[in-house]
Amino acid sequence: MKLRISLVALASCLHFSSASQPGATQSTAWPARPLAWGDVNFLFTTDTHGWLMGHTKSRPPEPNYSADFGDFLSFVTHMKELAREKGVDLLLVDSGDLHDGTGLTDGSPTGQPNAHESNKFITRLPYDILATGNHELYKYSSALDTRENFVPHWGGRYLTSNVNLTVSDPQHPGQDISVPLGAPYRKFTTLQGRRVTAFGVLFHFTWNAPGTAVQSVEDLVEQAWFREAIADPPELFLLAGHMPVHLEEDPDVNVNDWPIVYYAIRQVHPTTPIFIFGGHSHKRNCTVMDEHAIAIQGGRYMETVGWLSANLTQGGGYSRRYLDTNRNTYHYHTQTDDESFDTLDGLKLTGDIAALAEKWNLHEIFGYAPQDWYLDRVDHPDKHSVMTLFLDEVLPTVLRLGAPERSHIPLLAIFNRGSIRYDIYRGPFTRNDQYTVLPFQNDFFYATVPWAVGKRVVDTANKKREDEGQLRKARQMVMPSLAQPRWEIPAVADMQRVFSGPEEQLTLGYVTKDLCEGYADDTIHLDIGGMDREDDFMSSPPPELEDDDLIDVIFPSFIAQPIVDVLNKLFPGQNYSVPTLPRYTAIQSNEVFEVYARHKWN
Ligand SMILES: [Zn+2]
Ligand SMILES: [Zn+2]
């Protein structure tokens, strides 16, 4: 009772009637049925990309994901307590991409490394295993910051089995050495006495910064230390890693090297349980490889907390669930309410996140978006696609504003689709929204070429990327699968077993179709839909020109090398090279939405 009074007092003095971030719209939906606990259980996150404030907008489906990281901490604390009461294990796992994606990771006004402050918030969660993502490795400063300020906190729980960093050798000043970014593996015993061997694996990422090194997964499993680490049979293998758990359409995320690790372990241990926690493709997904091995991943942007449970002792079996991250979900599964849910540490984390957002001015309004624009629900040239807004309106407008001295030459702005990260919702468009749509800071380079060359750049770049993707796919080992795709089963039939109410009561959200048994989503929704992306390089509307007319082909520094390669192929003799490219404007890519909103949305 005493504890409850102090919680309420603290909540009121912090001005939180019910935690989450100020202004967040709470969900009205509830989970359909309780979780099925096993003797070993996992909660997992991946690709959080800085969304520690949760999703605060009121437009659907944002309220589904309105809990912040403080709420999540309270939830995990209650769940760990429930596990102790039940005498079972509950492990918390993250599969990487903590960087790049919101004002908390990208909005630092001091130029400090990306995610430096948000990583401190993550250390308040009791993760048992974390793995690195590709976004931790685009900049050496980020990777070094991870090693110096994030890894030490975890005491061997942050696993990078195939990622190294070059640092100066403390033993021999002036010399460099290559060291693992985190720990290569972890062997530990759970609270209930289970022996676990864990690895953290990244796909063979090749766009990493100089000074970081990613070993291919083929090479990893041949290492003597790896063979030695898997030699002793544990009671279970826990593999966290930043690769999707099955094949994807998009060549950029179709980097599933899990079968290589799976077979390497299965050669030695035919029936030891293997639990794989994937990431990178930003989808909810699950597949069963054999009777003792399952691979699962939990989406993106703190929209999903995944749940996986298994009975290792009594009759086998597993269950999995994708939880929407809102307080209803958290209350329901911990049998708490607004009064009893929040822990002191959870409230403190909520308050500290809000204070940082305030300090960095993340709620500053740049303008008022007149409608919704979606990333995944529709595609260019649909008028509700964020790609349409970006390519047809934002880029041409902002580049013209940023380089008036070049207004006499037509322009073609080329951008990679993957840089656009999220929806824009009708209403205030803030500094934080700018980072959620386009967090990456790039210069705009340009080359002036005849239209005969300029008009072929996008198609040629996409063709090259597609060919490389095909080559990779041909080499890829296929994950074994016990279950056949169940996609032909209408989701609605399955839904009726878990939801008995009328359809109009359903809210918009994910309806997951994965390869594991039974209905996967924790809260039943009307399907928000979505699409697979295939092409990556896209452009502003091509002008009407003659082949000899000159045009400025403009592109961000992130894709400068592939575009330069294409230009040199299409326009031989020019010898373009990235370091000598001129800059088109002083405006950078992560400022274009601010400039546009200030100009057009006020
Ligand atoms: Zn990601
Ligand atoms: Zn990734």
Side-chain angles (χ1 to χ4, degrees), residues 430-464:
T430 65
R431 183 180 298 281
N432 190 57
D433 297 333
Q434 160 165 275
Y435 291 120
T436 63
V437 181
L438 208 183
F440 309 108
Q441 184 179 14
N442 282 209
D443 285 326
F444 285 99
F445 294 140
Y446 76 103
T448 309
V449 299
W451 179 232
V453 171
K455 69 182 177 188
R456 293 177 59 203
V457 174
V458 167
D459 285 350
T460 311
N462 277 327
K463 177 79 176 63
K464 188 163 175 276

Side-chain angles (χ1 to χ4, degrees), residues 395 415 442-445 554-555 583-584 587-589 592:
L395 273 180
F415 225 91
N442 282 209
D443 285 326
F444 285 99
F445 294 140
I554 308 162
F555 42 92
R583 227 164 43 136
Y584 190 80
I587 297 171
Q588 300 210 296
S589 56
V592 296

Side-chain angles (χ1 to χ4, degrees), residues 267-397:
Q267 275 175 5
V268 188
H269 306 289
T271 59
T272 305
I274 301 176
F275 296 93
I276 291 180
F277 299 91
H280 186 57
S281 63
H282 291 193
K283 288 183 180 162
R284 297 175 168 187
N285 236 328
C286 177
T287 189
V288 172
M289 288 87 74
D290 65 44
E291 283 180 18
H292 308 280
I294 188 167
I296 191 161
Q297 71 184 66
R300 61 168 193 182
Y301 302 161
M302 278 312 283
E303 292 170 346
T304 303
V305 169
W307 165 264
L308 177 65
S309 65
N311 280 316
L312 299 186
T313 49
Q314 294 177 342
Y318 72 89
S319 93
R320 57 86 177 73
R321 199 78 67 73
Y322 307 108
L323 278 58
D324 287 350
T325 49
N326 60 67
R327 288 173 63 91
N328 288 356
T329 299
Y330 295 166
H331 289 168
Y332 181 88
H333 291 302
T334 57
Q335 291 121 46
T336 56
D337 56 23
D338 257 339
E339 293 260 307
S340 56
F341 173 71
D342 297 289
T343 64
L344 283 174
D345 288 344
L347 286 175
K348 168 110 175 57
L349 182 49
T350 290
D352 291 348
I353 291 170
L356 187 69
E358 198 66 37
K359 185 174 158 196
W360 287 0
N361 225 1
L362 298 183
H363 303 304
E364 181 186 357
I365 296 171
F366 293 154
Y368 292 83
Q371 64 165 82
D372 293 351
W373 282 278
Y374 307 123
L375 178 65
D376 293 321
R377 277 180 255 184
V378 287
D379 198 5
H380 184 272
D382 189 292
K383 63 182 175 27
H384 284 100
S385 162
V386 71
M387 293 310 298
T388 309
L389 170 71
F390 178 60
L391 295 167
D392 295 4
E393 302 290 335
V394 175
L395 273 180
T397 306

Side-chain angles (χ1 to χ4, degrees), residues 47 49 97 133-135 203 242 279-282:
D47 295 272
H49 287 289
D97 273 4
N134 54 310
H135 280 267
F203 70 92
H242 201 72
H280 186 57
S281 63
H282 291 193

Side-chain angles (χ1 to χ4, degrees), residues 462-472:
N462 277 327
K463 177 79 176 63
K464 188 163 175 276
R465 176 176 168 275
E466 195 186 310
D467 292 346
E468 288 162 2
Q470 289 296 345
L471 267 180
R472 206 163 48 221

